[in-house]
Amino acid sequence: MGDSGPDIRQDGAAEPPAREPRARGQRRPGRRAAALGIGALALAGCASGAVWLFRDDLPHPLGDERACAGSEQRLPARILVHGTPIPSDAADVHYFTRNGRAALSFRSGLLPYYLRGAGIVPAGADLFDKRHGGVGVADEPYKLPDGLCGPTLQSPVWYYDATDGVRVTVERSPLYDGALRFPARAVITYPLG
């Protein structure tokens, strides 16, 4: 009889087709996928390590994103200036500490209440009473104290020299003489302790 198909054994099973020999060094498709998967995992591990290394809070001094470069002392989460906390709505807070003094900058809509509550402006006194403060240089950007980072104050500004070495400078409204900007930025310099 001639060759009529696959060899059928007596038990009825067909003989599997012969495999072609694989060339040396040639990988099976499953191994290639596994190698690519391991390589992708290694790259992902390196990338996540780089992200951790350069994450945002590492460059901040003292581990505090509010601190400016060169600060020597970390301020608490709730900043107090001579026992009075800064306003509860304070935003964009920055500080610099050196030699037992701090320079603090923040923006708030509650500055008039803070100035009175901290005793910088006596109760019942006008915010712009010349007995308690004075006009800053007009039409020039206010220069921040040395080391303090963050946005500068917009002119016009008003400053207060309070007791115990506290100095406060605030942004006045450019439209209304008797008002602060809303919200206004303040810069406070004061001794720590």
Side-chain angles (χ1 to χ4, degrees), residues 6-81:
D7 182 23
I8 299 179
R9 297 186 182 177
Q10 293 192 358
D11 60 358
E15 186 176 312
R19 292 186 181 174
E20 293 182 21
R22 192 174 293 133
R24 271 199 148 157
Q26 184 180 7
R27 293 185 178 162
R28 286 190 268 178
R31 286 189 179 177
R32 179 175 296 146
L36 287 174
I38 290 171
L41 284 174
L43 281 174
C46 290
S48 66
V51 167
W52 179 84
L53 183 62
F54 296 108
R55 70 177 193 225
D56 194 33
D57 63 325
L58 282 179
H60 298 293
L62 311 171
D64 188 349
E65 66 183 20
R66 304 168 306 166
C68 298
S71 290
E72 297 175 341
Q73 183 176 343
R74 182 182 177 133
L75 294 182
R78 184 173 181 231
I79 299 174
L80 304 173
V81 178

Side-chain angles (χ1 to χ4, degrees), residues 135-140 155-156:
V135 177
V137 178
D139 298 328
E140 292 182 18
S155 290

Side-chain angles (χ1 to χ4, degrees), residues 63-110:
D64 188 349
E65 66 183 20
R66 304 168 306 166
C68 298
S71 290
E72 297 175 341
Q73 183 176 343
R74 182 182 177 133
L75 294 182
R78 184 173 181 231
I79 299 174
L80 304 173
V81 178
H82 286 279
T84 305
I86 63 173
S88 59
D89 72 334
D92 201 14
V93 178
H94 301 277
Y95 69 81
F96 177 75
T97 56
R98 177 162 292 158
N99 299 329
R101 290 195 59 81
L104 171 68
S105 169
F106 62 88
R107 190 179 69 246
S108 171
L110 302 174

Side-chain angles (χ1 to χ4, degrees), residues 155-186:
S155 290
V157 297
W158 186 268
Y159 68 88
Y160 303 93
D161 282 321
T163 59
D164 300 331
V166 177
R167 181 176 176 110
V168 180
T169 307
V170 296
E171 295 175 329
R172 289 182 66 177
S173 169
L175 303 175
Y176 306 104
D177 282 341
L180 297 174
R181 285 183 187 263
F182 188 84
R185 179 166 290 283

